[in-house]
C-alpha cells in the first residue's frame, strides 16, 4: 500500500513513537488521525503539523473508542491503517518481600497495564475492522509490541500484555486475510525514549545496552521506519518484526 | 447457480450433491462464523457484487445464499 494518500489512525500519538509516526507518515502524504488521552500533547502535535486531525480518546474505554473511530471513519471516509501504539509500562515483581505491607504484585498495576496495552488494542481493532469490512477497506493493523513479550523479569503485566498483542496479531492475520486486511506487529527492544528512561534506572539500562549486540539503544526513527516498511509491503502478514539491535531475552 | 455450488463445495467442503440441497449452518460442521465470512468474500469476488450487512447475516442456508445472489445478479 502506498503511504501517500492512505488514511491512518495512530493511538498514543501525543508523544514518543506515536508522535514521530504521526509526523513522519503525515510528511509522506498520509492522512493521519491522532488519538491520545493527553489533550495538550495532541494540541502540540497539531501545532507542529496542522494537517493532522486529533481525537482525544482513552483507548481503554470501549465507548470512547467506538465514538472516536466512528468520527474518524466519517471524516476520512474510511481507514486503511491502524497503528495500535498507545501503551504504558509499569514494573513490579510477582512477589516483593521488601514490601512488608503487601508483598504481592499490586492489582492496580496489573489492571492498568492490561486495560491499556491489551484491551485497548482489542477495542481499537474491533471498532476499526468492523467498519473496514463494512466499507470494504483493505489495509493493515500494526501493533506495537515489545521485546518484553518474550518474558522480562519484573514485568509480569507488561510482558503479558505484549505477548497478548503478538497473539492477537497472529489471530487477526488469519481471520482477516480474506478481506485484504493484514496484521503485523513490531517488537522494539530497549529504545532511546522517555518511557524507557522513566521505567528503568540508569544502571539497569546500561546493563541492557551491554547485553545488546549493537551496544546501544534504538532510536524512535528506527521503529518509525519499520512502520513505513509494513505499510508499504503488501505481502507482510502475521509476523512480529523485532527492532532490537539483536538482543535476546 | 453452478458457481455458487462450486463455492460451497470449495469452502465448506460439502459434496456436490449436498451443495444442491438446502442445508443450513447447523447441518454443515465446517460452516461457522469464520468460514461464513470466507464464503461471503468468495461470493462477492466471483459475482463482482458487494453484499449488505443484513444480507450477510441472512445467508445462513444454501437456499438463502442462492436467493441473495440471484437478487444481486438478475
Amino acid at each position: 500500500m502506498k503511504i501517500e494518500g492512505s488514511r491512518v489512525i495512530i493511538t498514543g500519538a501525543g508523544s514518543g513513537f506515536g508522535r514521530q509516526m504521526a509526523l513522519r507518515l503525515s510528511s509522506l502524504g498520509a492522512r493521519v488521525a491522532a488519538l491520545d488521552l493527553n489533550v495538550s500533547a495532541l494540541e502540540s502535535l497539531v501545532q507542529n503539523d496542522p494537517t493532522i486531525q486529533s481525537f482525544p480518546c482513552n483507548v481503554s474505554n470501549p465507548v470512547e473508542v467506538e465514538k472516536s473511530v466512528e468520527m474518524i471513519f466519517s471524516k476520512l471516509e474510511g481507514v486503511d491503517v491502524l497503528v495500535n501504539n498507545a501503551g504504558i509500562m509499569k514494573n513490579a515483581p510477582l512477589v516483593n518481600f521488601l514490601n512488608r505491607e503487601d508483598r504481592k504484585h499490586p492489582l492496580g498495576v496489573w489492571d492498568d497495564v492490561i486495560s491499556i496495552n491489551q484491551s485497548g488494542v482489542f477495542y481499537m481493532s474491533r471498532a476499526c475492522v468492523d467498519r473496514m469490512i463494512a466499507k470494504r477497506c483493505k489495509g493493515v493493523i500494526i501493533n506495537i509490541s515489545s521485546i518484553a513479550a518474550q518474558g522480562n523479569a519484573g514485568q509480569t503485566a507488561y510482558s503479558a500484555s505484549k505477548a497478548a498483542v503478538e497473539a492477537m496479531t497472529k489471530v487477526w492475520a488469519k481471520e482477516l486475510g480474506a478481506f485484504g486486511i493484514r496484521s503485523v506487529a513490531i517488537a522494539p527492544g530497549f529504545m532511546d525514549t522517555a518511557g524507557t528512561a522513566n521505567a528503568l534506572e540508569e544502571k539497569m539500562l546500561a546493563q541492557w545496552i551491554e547485553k545488546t549486540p549493537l551496544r546501544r539503544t534504538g532510536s524512535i526513527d528506527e521503529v518509525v521506519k519499520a512502520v513505513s516498511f509494513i505499510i508499504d509491503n503488501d505481502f507482510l502478514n502475521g509476523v512480529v518484526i523485532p527492532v532490537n539491535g539483536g538482543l535476546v531475552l | 447457480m453452478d458457481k455458487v455450488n462450486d463455492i460451497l463445495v470449495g469452502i465448506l467442503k460439502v459434496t456436490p450433491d449436498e451443495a444442491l440441497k438446502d442445508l443450513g449452518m447447523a447441518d454443515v460442521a465446517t460452516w461457522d462464523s469464520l468460514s461464513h465470512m470466507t464464503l461471503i468474500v468468495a461470493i462477492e469476488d466471483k459475482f463482482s457484487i458487494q453484499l449488505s450487512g443484513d444480507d450477510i447475516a441472512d445467508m445462513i442456508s444454501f437456499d438463502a445464499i442462492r436467493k441473495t445472489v440471484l437478487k444481486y445478479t438478475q
Side-chain angles (χ1 to χ4, degrees), chain A residues 80-242:
Chain A
D80 309 295
V81 182
L82 165 64
V83 185
N84 281 311
N85 164 74
I88 58 169
M89 187 191 286
K90 288 187 179 180
N91 305 333
L94 187 61
V95 178
N96 183 357
F97 274 79
L98 295 175
N99 194 345
R100 290 174 200 277
E101 304 281 307
D102 188 359
R103 297 197 296 251
K104 288 175 283 187
H105 189 297
L107 292 178
V109 169
W110 173 264
D111 290 340
D112 287 351
V113 172
I114 296 298
S115 68
I116 294 172
N117 295 11
Q118 182 174 334
S119 300
V121 170
F122 171 68
Y123 298 148
M124 280 300 302
S125 300
R126 74 196 271 270
C128 279
V129 169
D130 177 57
R131 290 164 176 83
M132 286 172 81
I133 292 175
K135 286 183 170 286
R136 303 300 191 276
C137 297
K138 294 179 177 180
V140 59
I141 301 169
I142 301 173
N143 293 324
I144 304 301
S145 178
S146 162
I147 193 169
Q150 305 308 311
N152 194 27
Q155 293 190 318
T156 296
Y158 188 72
S159 295
S161 70
K162 293 304 187 181
V165 163
E166 293 191 2
M168 289 191 284
T169 302
K170 290 169 188 173
V171 171
W172 296 337
K174 291 170 185 165
E175 279 191 19
L176 306 176
F179 303 101
I181 299 172
R182 299 180 290 120
S183 174
V184 180
I186 298 171
F190 288 88
M191 310 303 286
D192 185 15
T193 64
T196 304
N198 290 338
L200 291 178
E201 286 174 22
E202 212 171 302
K203 208 167 62 180
M204 189 68 91
L205 184 58
Q207 285 177 13
W208 282 116
I209 291 172
E210 185 68 23
K211 288 178 188 168
T212 302
L214 290 181
R215 300 286 190 275
R216 65 174 177 88
T217 52
S219 70
I220 291 180
D221 191 51
E222 284 161 335
V223 172
V224 174
K225 280 176 181 161
V227 170
S228 302
F229 170 68
I230 291 168
I231 295 172
D232 194 47
N233 190 325
D234 286 324
F235 204 52
L236 203 60
N237 193 24
V239 292
V240 179
I241 299 177

Side-chain angles (χ1 to χ4, degrees), chain A residues 19-117:
Chain A
R19 182 184 171 90
Q20 289 308 113
M21 274 174 219
L23 293 170
R24 167 67 70 86
L25 294 178
S26 177
S27 76
L28 294 173
R31 297 169 67 195
V32 175
L35 270 65
D36 205 292
L37 191 58
N38 185 334
V39 177
S40 59
L42 283 177
E43 285 169 356
S44 155
L45 175 68
V46 173
Q47 268 178 2
N48 209 307
D49 181 344
T51 67
I52 294 174
Q53 299 192 47
S54 68
F55 300 85
C57 178
N58 176 0
V59 295
S60 69
N61 180 329
V63 177
E64 274 189 44
V65 164
E66 288 293 333
K67 278 184 192 164
S68 298
V69 170
E70 181 60 35
M71 230 186 300
I72 293 166
F73 267 78
S74 157
K75 282 198 174 177
L76 301 183
E77 296 175 334
V79 164
D80 309 295
V81 182
L82 165 64
V83 185
N84 281 311
N85 164 74
I88 58 169
M89 187 191 286
K90 288 187 179 180
N91 305 333
L94 187 61
V95 178
N96 183 357
F97 274 79
L98 295 175
N99 194 345
R100 290 174 200 277
E101 304 281 307
D102 188 359
R103 297 197 296 251
K104 288 175 283 187
H105 189 297
L107 292 178
V109 169
W110 173 264
D111 290 340
D112 287 351
V113 172
I114 296 298
S115 68
I116 294 172
N117 295 11

